[in-house]
Amino acid sequence: EFLEVAYRRYPLYLVSATPQVVLEEIIAERKLSTYFKDIYGAPIIKADILRTIIKIESIQEDNLMLIGDSTSDQQAANSLRVKFIGIGSNRTVVDNGNVTFENFFPLSHYIRDKYKL
């Protein structure tokens, strides 16, 4: 549901520590490629990929949002002052402006309400 709404309004990129070949297989198998402008898999340095996306989209860092499930995702976002939303906590957590949700269901509502998605 989130991807269906978001990709129509924003360029979405997938950045993952999963190896590139495996990631492409997963995306193809689940028929998700239409949602993403590009897919970046390992080996990568997440902050470098975020810089690449910023350059491709010609946007400021604070106009980019990273949704991730790891500490390295949050560190990459913080290093560039990119907005970060975490997935995987058993409750909603707000930490220095970053928000973490258990799964994508509350995330969809949060982004819709806060960012008018």
Side-chain angles (χ1 to χ4, degrees), residues 8-68:
R8 295 176 191 277
R9 298 208 45 202
Y10 302 101
L12 302 180
Y13 292 81
L14 181 59
V15 180
S16 176
T18 302
Q20 182 76 29
V21 173
V22 174
L23 188 59
E24 289 173 359
E25 290 171 358
I26 292 167
I27 295 302
E29 182 179 301
R30 295 184 181 183
K31 297 178 174 51
L32 296 173
S33 60
T34 6
Y35 297 114
F36 300 103
K37 190 166 178 179
D38 210 344
I39 297 167
Y40 298 92
I44 57 166
I45 297 173
K46 290 179 182 180
D48 290 346
I49 298 302
L50 294 177
R51 283 186 199 92
T52 298
I53 294 168
I54 289 164
K55 186 182 262 187
I56 289 169
E57 295 298 329
S58 298
I59 60 173
Q60 297 295 315
E61 291 85 353
D62 61 350
N63 286 326
L64 183 67
M65 177 184 296
L66 175 64
I67 300 169

